[in-house]
Amino acid sequence: MKKVVTTSLVSLGLLSSVSLNAADDLSSMFSEGKTSGQIRMFAIDRDYVNKDLHRSGLSLGGHLKFETADYNGLSAGAAFYTVNKLDEWTGTVEPALFGPNNSSYDLLGETYLQYTRGNTTFKGGRQKLDTPLAGSDDARTLPNLFEAYIVTNTDIADTTIVAGHITKFAQGTFGRVYGNQDTPSNLAVTAGYSYFNSVDNAGKFVNMGTYAINEKTAGVSVAAAVYTGVENLKIQVWDYYAHDILNAIYADANYGVKLDGYSPYVAAQFIREDAIGDKLVGEVSSMYGAAKAGVKFGGFNVYAAYSQTTESNGNALLKSIITPWGGMPAYTQGMVTRHQFLAGTKATKVAGTYSFKDMGVNLSTTAYYTSFDMDENSGYGTARTATESGFDAIYYPEAVKNLQLRLRGNFPRDFIGTVGWNEYRFIVNYNF
């Protein structure tokens, strides 16, 4: 294990020290390119309640990226990702920090070409995406990545149009927390990951359908419009056509105003899913709706949110929101608990953040509480009220530029049955 860690870190160090300007025989798009990246150390300690289990883990990972300069609108990029297992101290490894078999792995996670002409940009190849229902979900050591071909256009005033196709998905480390290995899981597929196997797919690019439901498909076609033409209002609508599985429509609207001393805001979101083509999951027909209201004043930002998902009297999965590619936009999700997309769930969340910047300290702290009223036919356990409270503290030391220190805690209860846990995380991020 030490050899793997040393090799990966030496690779990062050597690549980051390369002087790209020394390559005189390459075009200026390479010699004027830029290198960037992140080093991340992640520690977790999760001690279960009403279950004899205590998991822990310490990982070291990150990525190194090179992007060429623009040459007549054409550019390219590549990024190398690595995760290395350092330690565990409770006898049971926390799987969400590592790759298959709780091991280290390396991945050429981004290799893309990008071309811009006027107000239109095309980006094709392996890349990082962050959209409502297909995203990086960067919650542990490494994020999710995609093979995709995306066109973005801003010709229409105050409007961004997006269209493209996603062919493959490379799960990051977080999805392994769901623990399903060739076993169907309603929890996993409504929380952002594979219905059949979220344990063995980290760190490799897999067909979108194969990853989601163990059936190869033509991928997912995407179209979206984002509008900001009304002051203080943002509206976006996305359509995800997952061939032979389902069509998902996502929409949200956010509106806020600045008043004397405070800034209230409101938001709403909606998801509709319907089976299409060969209907490989079955007759999916589900809806989710949510609303949020909050206010910012001084260094505070506080809000409350409510959501509800379609009830089911039969196959609970068909009335749930299926989101197997890292998309998790819900207002009511917890740090860990994502039950809001399960059939018949009514969820609430209250949260408050305080920034200490006005006191000269680059520190923000958040506390929250979520509650999930679980239907007896949710597809995950009995009727109950699952809850999660937690906190998040983010600090940027003035003495070290680009260094972030983060301490997080989450304390779910009745997550499944009467089982919960107390979990603490310490994360160090250094960006360069």
Side-chain angles (χ1 to χ4, degrees):
M1 184 271 292
K2 289 183 178 179
K3 183 177 180 181
V4 174
V5 174
T6 302
T7 302
S8 296
L9 292 179
V10 167
S11 298
L12 281 172
L14 288 174
L15 284 170
S16 63
S17 66
V18 170
S19 174
L20 297 172
N21 291 320
D24 294 330
D25 58 330
L26 297 178
S27 68
S28 60
M29 68 183 294
F30 286 92
S31 64
E32 296 174 9
K34 63 178 182 179
T35 304
S36 62
Q38 182 185 74
I39 298 173
R40 172 177 293 176
M41 185 188 76
F42 207 123
I44 291 183
D45 188 288
R46 177 186 286 191
D47 192 5
Y48 279 75
V49 176
N50 295 325
K51 184 178 183 179
D52 185 18
L53 180 61
H54 190 178
R55 303 196 315 216
S56 62
L58 176 65
S59 66
L60 182 64
H63 70 273
L64 179 68
K65 184 172 185 176
F66 175 70
E67 299 170 279
T68 70
D70 182 312
Y71 179 73
N72 290 333
L74 180 66
S75 61
F80 168 81
Y81 288 76
T82 183
V83 56
N84 300 279
K85 182 179 178 182
L86 297 184
D87 200 8
E88 60 84 15
W89 49 90
T90 59
T92 303
V93 175
E94 168 55 52
L97 293 181
F98 311 112
N101 301 313
N102 294 325
S103 61
S104 306
Y105 71 84
D106 301 323
L107 174 69
L108 184 59
E110 296 182 58
T111 51
Y112 60 83
L113 289 175
Q114 182 169 297
Y115 180 70
T116 300
R117 182 167 183 173
N119 294 322
T120 301
T121 297
F122 166 80
K123 186 175 183 179
R126 294 183 177 185
Q127 57 188 283
K128 187 176 180 180
L129 294 180
D130 282 298
T131 76
L133 296 182
S136 64
D137 201 16
D138 193 9
R140 293 295 191 277
T141 312
L142 294 184
N144 304 320
L145 298 163
F146 298 82
E147 182 179 287
Y149 305 87
I150 306 295
V151 176
T152 305
N153 177 271
T154 57
D155 278 336
I156 302 173
D158 304 312
T159 303
T160 300
I161 302 297
V162 180
H165 189 71
I166 309 171
T167 57
K168 293 182 180 181
F169 179 74
Q171 180 191 299
T173 58
F174 173 59
R176 300 189 73 247
V177 77
Y178 294 101
N180 58 319
Q181 194 169 24
D182 299 323
T183 304
S185 170
N186 283 19
L187 176 67
V189 80
T190 58
Y193 293 94
S194 173
Y195 183 51
F196 277 97
N197 193 333
S198 65
V199 173
D200 298 323
N201 282 312
K204 57 184 178 182
F205 284 87
V206 181
N207 172 272
M208 294 288 278
T210 302
Y211 175 81
I213 59 169
N214 204 32
E215 294 276 359
K216 188 174 182 179
T217 68
V220 178
S221 300
V222 181
V226 182
Y227 178 70
T228 57
V230 177
E231 185 178 5
N232 302 319
L233 176 66
K234 178 181 178 180
I235 300 172
Q236 59 177 336
V237 179
W238 292 75
D239 186 84
Y240 299 82
Y241 192 91
H243 294 258
D244 292 320
I245 302 176
L246 59 83
N247 186 74
I249 297 174
Y250 173 88
D252 72 34
N254 294 268
Y255 180 75
V257 294
K258 292 183 179 181
L259 303 176
D260 187 16
Y262 63 100
S263 301
Y265 59 90
V266 293
Q269 61 183 180
F270 173 80
I271 302 173
R272 170 82 195 201
E273 294 188 342
D274 293 283
I276 56 171
D278 290 343
K279 302 179 181 180
L280 295 175
V281 173
E283 291 288 347
V284 176
S285 179
S286 59
M287 287 190 293
Y288 160 93
K292 179 169 68 172
V295 62
K296 299 177 183 179
F297 59 96
F300 287 96
N301 180 6
V302 296
Y303 72 85
Y306 174 83
S307 70
Q308 186 170 341
T309 303
T310 314
E311 293 184 2
S312 173
N313 295 317
N315 185 334
L317 181 62
L318 304 183
K319 294 298 183 181
S320 300
I321 297 301
I322 296 171
T323 174
W325 302 294
M328 189 49 53
Y331 298 158
T332 52
Q333 65 175 295
M335 190 182 300
V336 174
T337 311
R338 297 178 170 185
H339 293 355
Q340 73 285 335
F341 284 163
L342 290 163
T345 301
K346 300 174 183 177
T348 58
K349 181 177 182 178
V350 291
T353 299
Y354 183 74
S355 172
F356 291 83
K357 280 189 176 182
D358 289 343
M359 300 181 184
V361 181
N362 198 348
L363 168 68
S364 67
T365 56
T366 299
Y368 69 90
Y369 179 82
T370 59
S371 176
F372 305 85
D373 183 6
M374 307 293 296
D375 188 79
E376 63 180 357
N377 195 24
S378 70
Y380 188 67
T382 60
R384 67 194 184 283
T385 299
T387 65
E388 180 185 317
S389 59
F391 70 86
D392 189 5
I394 303 174
Y395 176 57
Y396 294 87
E398 186 176 352
V400 183
K401 186 178 179 181
N402 300 324
L403 177 66
Q404 181 198 75
L405 306 177
R406 191 169 190 178
L407 179 65
R408 313 186 81 187
N410 60 83
F411 314 102
R413 294 296 182 267
D414 300 328
F415 186 89
I416 176 66
T418 61
V419 174
W421 59 78
N422 299 319
E423 178 181 290
Y424 296 91
R425 311 176 188 175
F426 180 62
I427 309 152
V428 180
N429 290 314
Y430 180 72
N431 298 308
F432 57 91

